[in-house]
């Protein structure tokens, strides 16, 4: 039978309606949807943001792909499972919209790349660390030359799925250049989830931030009354920078309790 777009019952719809809040209950959605939090949230966000229409996707293809990716997360993996991927997808969504990056920085293709990267970022995770894979000469470590073997595997396996299954290829409506840009952005985002890259990425961010702030300050101090200069929130090109994202509040007791009941802790990193 043909796969149908996930059309959630009222309880799931009520939970999805709160996806813009930090208090969103991922575990509640996981339970209410019968273990399909990732596909339900993924379809809801992509559809609501207008990406299906703007990126010329077939809704049924998207639904099939999300369910297939969801099934690729191991149920017996206590942390890197599909519920974790749904949690990361929600966190990314709130950060992007809270910082207004969708208004100032991301276009439709970039937003879809970000969502897709969150959805696949632990796809097929074996429940082992990169260090263990390298130390044990695991086939994944050998295949990817000990460099981010898990993250490389997640991205490669997901894109292999699109290549091998035309009925799952949500990029078929894109131009060649759009497909290449989408693939490049997704791969970079997934590889960046390797925590060994954390400090390099953070240092790069801080460097760019300081350079932009210094340039803006210099422009402000050397400006004239006739020709207004960019504000301190603008970069060297004059493009307005998005405001700082709101700080996260603690998860609600109910969601925290559910997370602990499922074998997690109250402060798991969103990776």
């Amino acid at each position: 039978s043909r796969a149908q777009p996930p059309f959630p019952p009222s309880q799931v719809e009520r939970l999805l309606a709160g996806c813009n809040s930090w208090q969103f209950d991922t575990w509640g959605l996981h339970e209410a949807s019968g273990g399909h939090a990732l596909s339900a949230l993924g379809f809801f966000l992509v559809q609501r943001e207008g990406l299906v229409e703007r990126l010329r996707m077939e809704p049924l293809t998207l639904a099939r792909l999300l369910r297939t990716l969801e099934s690729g997360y191991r149920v017996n993996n206590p942390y890197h499972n599909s519920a974790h991927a749904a949690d990361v997808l929600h966190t990314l969504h709130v950060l992007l919209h809270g910082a207004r990056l969708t208004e100032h920085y991301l276009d439709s293709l970039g937003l879809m790349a970000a969502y897709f990267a969150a959805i696949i970022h632990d796809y097929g995770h074996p429940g082992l660390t990169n260090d263990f894979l390298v130390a044990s000469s695991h086939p994944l470590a050998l295949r990817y030359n000990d460099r981010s073997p898990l993250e490389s595997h997640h991205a490669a396996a997901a894109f292999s799925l699109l290549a091998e299954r035309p009925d799952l290829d949500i990029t078929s409506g894109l131009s060649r250049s759009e497909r290449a840009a989408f693939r490049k952005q997704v791969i970079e985002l997934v590889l960046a989830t390797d925590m060994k890259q954390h400090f390099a990425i953070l240092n790069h961010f801080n460097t760019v931030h300081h350079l932009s702030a210094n340039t803006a300050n210099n422009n402000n101090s050397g400006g004239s009354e006739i020709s207004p200069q960019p504000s301190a929130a603008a970069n060297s090109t004059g493009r307005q920078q998005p405001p700082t994202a709101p700080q996260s509040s603690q998860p609600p007791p109910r969601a925290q309790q559910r997370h602990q009941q499922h074998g997690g802790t109250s402060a798991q990193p969103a990776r």
Side-chain angles (χ1 to χ4, degrees), residues 25-60:
D25 188 355
T26 305
W27 279 115
L29 178 62
H30 184 72
E31 294 174 354
S33 62
H36 295 294
L38 180 59
S39 58
L41 180 61
F43 191 91
F44 179 79
L45 292 178
V46 173
Q47 178 80 3
R48 194 186 69 168
E49 295 296 324
L51 300 178
V52 171
E53 180 179 358
R54 289 202 291 271
L55 299 180
R56 303 173 294 282
M57 286 186 279
E58 290 291 336
L60 288 178

Side-chain angles (χ1 to χ4, degrees), residues 54-164:
R54 289 202 291 271
L55 299 180
R56 303 173 294 282
M57 286 186 279
E58 290 291 336
L60 288 178
T61 302
L62 175 63
R64 292 191 192 101
L65 175 62
L66 290 174
R67 284 297 180 93
T68 303
L69 289 170
E70 188 172 54
S71 66
Y73 280 85
R74 300 187 181 185
V75 178
N76 61 349
N77 191 323
Y79 182 69
H80 295 100
N81 48 47
S82 64
H84 162 71
D87 186 44
V88 171
L89 174 61
H90 163 255
T91 301
L92 174 73
H93 169 74
V94 176
L95 285 172
L96 292 179
H97 287 75
R100 297 170 63 189
L101 292 178
T102 54
E103 300 175 27
H104 299 277
Y105 183 72
L106 286 175
D107 58 8
S108 296
L109 190 67
L111 180 58
M112 185 62 203
Y115 282 161
F116 191 70
I119 290 168
I120 71 167
H121 85 280
D122 276 329
Y123 176 64
H125 199 296
L128 305 169
T129 66
N130 277 332
D131 287 340
F132 180 86
L133 297 182
V134 172
S136 62
S137 297
H138 190 278
L140 289 179
L142 297 177
R143 179 180 302 167
Y144 298 110
N145 301 312
D146 298 344
R147 297 182 179 179
S148 303
L150 283 173
E151 292 73 22
S152 298
H153 168 63
H154 304 322
F159 277 107
S160 294
L161 198 61
L162 299 185
E164 296 167 2

